[in-house]
Amino acid sequence: MSSMEERGEVGVAAAPGSSGGVGAVGAALETVVGGPSMQEEVGFRRGEGLGPESDPDEPPPKKRMRLPEGESGKLEERLYSVLCCTVCLDLPKASVYQCTNGHLMCAGCFIHLLADSRLKEEQATCPNCRCEITKSLCCRNLAVEKAVSELPTDCPFCLKQFPRSSLERHQREECQDRVTQCKYKRIGCPWKGPFHELPAHEEECCHPTKTGTELMGILGEMDQSHSRELTLYNSIFSLLCYEKIGFTEVQFRPYRTDDFITRLYYESPRFTVLNQTWVLKARVNDSERNPNLSCKRTLSFQLILKSKVNSAIECSFLLLKGPYDDVRIKPVIHHHAFSNDTNETDYVPLPITDSVECNKLLAAKNINLRLFIFQIQK
């Protein structure tokens, strides 16, 4: 008997419910996945005549059994526990990072760990295995991101289940219970409600029938909120008309004070703009003693003139995000008259939108921003 026949006989002999290797693997697969075991697959092939020795008198192969709903739920629960973030124990909503040992972290927790380590002057470590984590050592796990996107989740409005990848589109376009606003909100209608009640409300809405006097009062309040944004952009366009304008890329580097309890601060190397030498400094939470214990985090900065000047220099300046950063910064214009006696501005808030954006900056090795200085001609 050839070696191939011997292998075929061994495979057939091990198939029927024995405690051999194939039977054990089949039983394990049937237990974990709930699908047919390897025994059933072998029987299926032999019943079709694909095996080396098919027997027509052999009973027909077992049918593939469907998982009961309870078992399916258990499988989803097991996947939730396997794919969740090791820090917040929730399923990641965006990017998924992993340490060198494969433990998963959502993007928000990963950035928060790096920011905390910067504030405490410690090396960031994985909360599960305590291995070192940095932006260069950790990488994204695309397989987990795709797997999480296919897991079902409940719509918060209609409570139906959808894959996570399609939930956003469902909430934005399809859900009949999503919260929406009246089309007359531009003239002051405050109604908010489920989408399926919108047509009935708009038929009964009283705002289209308001008098011109009533509408003018409502529009006046709306104009006040828009006028602040318009003033800012008009001011920026006016500054762009100045004769002397300078800008540069600024890199903040982290340092520590020499106090008994050291504090984190940032400082840029000296740079030259408008033929003058400048330095930027920044601090976290206005030099709060333990900013790592606070959930709300802010950065404030000051501009310092290092050159000696013969007469005062009146300038306007603003900070924007660098060309390769994704942090969101709202432009705010500051004014100061620099002289040999008043060569430092007060600390002013860096206009980032929230603490999440602040953590992004703190987690980075350096903070890269773009500074604009406009010299006002007398």
Side-chain angles (χ1 to χ4, degrees), residues 27 36 51 53 105 163 186 190 209 216 229 255 291 295 297 301 312 343:
E53 297 177 5
M105 292 165 280
R186 296 175 64 92
T209 59
M216 287 301 294
E229 294 183 8
Y255 295 94
C295 294
R297 291 174 181 170
F301 73 97
N343 63 332

Side-chain angles (χ1 to χ4, degrees), residues 237-289:
F237 288 131
S238 298
L239 292 174
L240 292 174
C241 299
Y242 284 13
E243 180 183 356
K244 294 187 177 182
I245 302 174
F247 73 93
T248 185
E249 313 301 329
V250 180
Q251 185 178 80
F252 286 98
R253 296 174 183 171
Y255 295 94
R256 292 278 166 180
T257 62
D258 296 329
D259 304 333
F260 177 71
I261 299 177
T262 62
R263 289 183 173 86
L264 173 69
Y265 72 97
Y266 288 85
E267 186 172 331
S268 71
R270 295 191 178 198
F271 55 90
T272 301
V273 175
L274 300 178
N275 297 321
Q276 306 293 337
T277 304
W278 310 82
V279 165
L280 274 170
K281 288 185 177 181
R283 61 189 185 187
V284 184
N285 285 16
D286 289 327
S287 294
E288 183 183 355
R289 184 170 182 176

Side-chain angles (χ1 to χ4, degrees), residues 242-245 274 313-316 373-377:
Y242 284 13
E243 180 183 356
K244 294 187 177 182
I245 302 174
L274 300 178
I313 301 175
E314 191 174 351
C315 295
S316 298
I373 300 180
F374 308 88
Q375 185 173 342
I376 301 173
Q377 297 296 316

